[in-house]
Amino acid sequence: MARVRRLNHAVLFVRDAERAAAFYQRAFGFEVIANMGGRAVFLRAAGSDNHHDLGLFALGEGAPGPFTGQAVGLYHLAWQVDTIEELAEMRQVLAELGALTGQSDHGATKSLYGQDPDGNEFEVMWLVPREEWGPYDRDAVTRPLNLERELERFGRKGEAGSPDG
């Protein structure tokens, strides 16, 4: 049986592809690799080996927004960061953009939630080191995220082998 290795890219319908691209550039540091006259914009994440990680297709300002929780369809995309410190940086950026809508501790992941200018929901998550998953290896929880506590627990300061540890 063929096995999927990972999600290669996502494509979203938006009202204004250039406005949405500017948001994703600011929020995630994506680079525009192709702009098809504002009808479609393709972006790549820093360090990605994908041709593009996100495609944005413009529908026009009159397009209705997503039907969050009211219709069958995609709920959200989850973008992963490498460190808990990067998750904290993302919280600040998303808050500055007025895009931060929530944050949760899912045991094996620590997550932020937001919306782009068109109301498309996304998650930015940090994956806890596998050896720390404990009971969350086969359990899913949703609790309030105390990011400051998680920074103390998993941050670079105090890590074994780190300059400060």
Side-chain angles (χ1 to χ4, degrees), residues 78-156:
W79 306 105
Q80 184 175 336
V81 295
D82 287 332
T83 68
I84 191 75
E85 290 88 0
E86 288 175 322
L87 190 67
E89 290 173 30
M90 285 299 308
R91 180 174 66 178
Q92 183 172 340
V93 169
L94 294 175
E96 288 170 4
L97 291 171
L100 183 66
T101 61
Q103 43 192 0
S104 295
D105 180 341
H106 295 298
T109 66
K110 311 304 174 190
S111 300
L112 307 174
Y113 295 91
Q115 289 186 346
D116 73 8
D118 291 288
N120 292 307
E121 293 190 33
F122 59 83
E123 176 181 354
V124 180
M125 50 80 62
W126 175 70
L127 187 62
V128 172
R130 183 69 186 239
E131 62 274 8
E132 299 285 336
W133 287 9
Y136 305 114
D137 182 48
R138 298 209 177 260
D139 193 9
V141 299
T142 301
R143 299 185 305 234
L145 176 63
N146 182 333
L147 191 51
E148 288 69 28
R149 183 188 68 217
E150 301 302 338
L151 280 163
E152 286 180 27
R153 180 177 176 203
F154 293 110
R156 289 190 180 113

Side-chain angles (χ1 to χ4, degrees), residues 22-51:
F23 171 83
Y24 284 100
Q25 285 178 285
R26 174 68 178 102
F28 297 105
F30 283 4
E31 169 192 7
V32 172
I33 59 155
N35 183 333
M36 303 174 81
R39 293 183 328 272
V41 178
F42 296 90
L43 301 109
R44 184 181 302 140
S48 173
D49 59 358
N50 293 334
H51 174 268

